[in-house]
């Protein structure tokens, strides 16, 4: 119901006009002075102002100019009502910002006709402005979405994010539909997601429908190929197909079907028109592009991960147990990172990068790697170059910084006794400190030229107490504690990749 401010100090005219407006379905509000009118406008802006030419306080011209100079009020149409208004008076009012001029005495039918015309124009203007702002918001959203780690998202995450953009960040916001349904056809099934707010809580439901079913039930409402619009609420046939909740008053609806994608929005707080279709189409295009980017990015990430693992395997090609070793390292790392409270993406990335810890071994002579007895001092020095060589192989790409840090520093000890740089404490990158702990555990559990494989409990005891080769001071105490606290899971990971055989030098 449109709220109309009647600013007229004459009871006869003000009461009569207010009565006509109320009978016509509007919500009239009375004001008897310019100051009183401004208070009403500031409290709740009306859809239209009917203003007496001689309104007490400042007069119609000054009042119109005040409204026009205020950006928050400037779009409210004003109709000036004047007794025996001359052409000069009309022109002055129109120049001051009034939309129209009515001469007193006011005629009911003329007043209502002018009100209807002005409100139609205002509603159209409001919707155009709203569409402009929504398109601008959609562009801003696209920029922010592009900055996210798209490969981390699932298809339903993309759909849900787009739905929140259309429905708004919270329930009950004006200028938004009440519900949106989006579907993608994949392998002969349309996979749909239904999103809406119910009692201020976000609701999301997944729906499967046959291909072509939506177009069939929407056929009576087609407004051009692939475009559908109705000023009535969705019929039961549509509600049942899309599983629309009967708890929502959905009003009218619009829909777009293009290629494998379809979008249906309902429950607009106004009568929908053709202006809703371009906005919905733009949203669907954004959704289509984001989904394609997500899929392509995920494929690129899979290929990149495969290349990383292949390089890690190539570095230890002479060890038949290497594949299980590097996968165990990845699983240990992800688990410990999660235990230490890192975000999910970093934990997954650390899992991949930790598998590159010994990539530098590809540069070490095979006879040193496979030598059954103790190494000479010269051979030890050569063997230790696998850290710096590994960092060199991984290069300077920012994307590989975590892997490079691990390759270079996973033999650094927390007390500064490690190699290649003798780093101490926080000087050692966090990711390298994690791999230091888990690599030692896995090495203790496997057969080496210089030792038998330790049991799980024996390995934990050495890490806690130390021996002639290891000291608890070699490890970051917080990471070691997290590892020991999760010892049952560490054992499960170790046993989950089979019983390891002989491992080459670490």
């Amino acid at each position: 119901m449109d709220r109309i401010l009647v600013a007229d100090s004459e009871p006869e005219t003000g009461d009569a006009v207010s009565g006509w407006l109320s009978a016509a379905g509007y919500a009239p509000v009375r004001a008897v002075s310019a100051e009183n009118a401004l208070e009403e406008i500031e409290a709740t802006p009306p859809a239209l102002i009917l203003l007496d030419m001689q309104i007490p306080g400042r007069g119609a011209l000054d009042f119109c100019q005040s409204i026009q100079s205020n950006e928050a009020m400037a779009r409210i149409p004003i109709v000036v009502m004047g007794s025996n208004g001359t052409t000069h008076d009309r022109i002055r009012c129109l120049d001051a910002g009034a939309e129209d001029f009515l001469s007193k005495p006011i005629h009911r039918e003329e007043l209502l006709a002018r009100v209807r015309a002005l409100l139609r124009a205002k509603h159209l203007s409001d919707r155009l402005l709203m569409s402009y702002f929504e398109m601008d918001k959609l562009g801003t959203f696209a920029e922010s979405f592009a900055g996210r780690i798209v490969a981390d998202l699932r298809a339903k995450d993309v759909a849900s994010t787009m739905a929140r953009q259309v429905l708004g960040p919270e329930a009950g916001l004006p200028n938004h539909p009440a519900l949106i349904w989006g579907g993608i056809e994949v392998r002969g099934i349309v996979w749909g997601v239904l999103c809406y707010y119910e009692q201020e809580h976000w609701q999301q439901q997944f729906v499967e429908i046959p291909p072509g079913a939506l177009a069939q039930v929407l056929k009576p409402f087609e407004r051009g190929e692939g475009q559908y619009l109705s000023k009535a609420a969705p019929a039961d046939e549509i509600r049942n197909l899309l599983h629309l909740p009967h708890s929502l008053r959905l009003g009218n609806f619009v829909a777009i079907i293009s290629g494998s994608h379809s979008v249906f929005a309902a429950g607009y707080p106004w009568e929908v028109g053709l202006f809703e279709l371009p906005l919905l189409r733009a949203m669907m295009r954004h959704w289509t592009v984001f989904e394609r980017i997500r899929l392509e990015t995920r494929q690129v990430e899979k290929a990149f991960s495969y290349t990383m693992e292949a390089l890690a395997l190539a570095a230890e090609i002479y060890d038949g147990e290497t594949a299980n070793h590097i996968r165990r390292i990845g699983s240990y790392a992800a688990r410990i990172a999660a235990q230490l409270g890192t975000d999910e993406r970093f934990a997954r990335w650390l899992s991949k990068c930790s598998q590159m810890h010994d990539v530098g071994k590809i540069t070490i002579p095979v006879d040193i790697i496979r030598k059954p007895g103790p190494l000479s001092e010269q051979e030890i020095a050569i063997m230790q170059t696998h850290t710096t060589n590994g960092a060199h192989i991984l290069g300077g790409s920012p994307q590989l910084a975590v892997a490079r840090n691990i390759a270079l520093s996973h033999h650094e000890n927390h007390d500064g006794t490690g190699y290649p740089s003798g780093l101490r404490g926080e000087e050692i990158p966090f990711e390298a400190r994690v791999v230091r702990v888990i690599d030692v555990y896995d090495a203790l559990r496997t057969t080496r030229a210089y030792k038998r494989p330790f049991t799980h409990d024996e390995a934990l005891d050495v890490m806690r107490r130390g021996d002639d080769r290891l000291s608890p001071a070699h490890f970051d105490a917080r990471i070691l504690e997290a590892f020991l606290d999760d010892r049952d899971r560490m054992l499960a990971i170790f046993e989950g990749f089979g019983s390891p055989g002989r491992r080459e030098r670490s």
Side-chain angles (χ1 to χ4, degrees), residues 20 24 44 107 174 179 220 394 493:
W20 297 337
T44 307
H107 296 284
L179 171 151
L394 293 171
I493 291 172

Side-chain angles (χ1 to χ4, degrees), residues 381-397:
I382 293 173
M383 187 67 186
Q384 290 182 351
T385 63
H386 81 278
T387 56
T388 52
N389 291 347
H392 181 72
I393 288 170
L394 293 171
S397 169

Side-chain angles (χ1 to χ4, degrees), residues 164 167-172 178 194-205 245 247-248:
R164 284 185 183 272
L167 300 183
E170 60 186 54
L194 172 65
C195 300
Y196 57 97
Y197 289 102
E198 188 171 41
Q199 297 180 349
E200 299 186 356
H201 295 289
W202 180 256
Q203 304 292 330
Q204 187 167 287
Q205 180 181 352
S247 58
L248 294 185

Side-chain angles (χ1 to χ4, degrees), residues 358-377:
D358 277 340
V359 68
K361 284 185 177 180
I362 203 169
T363 67
I364 305 302
V366 175
D367 56 341
I368 294 179
I369 291 178
R370 305 197 68 181
K371 185 176 180 178
L375 299 180
S376 67
E377 289 187 8

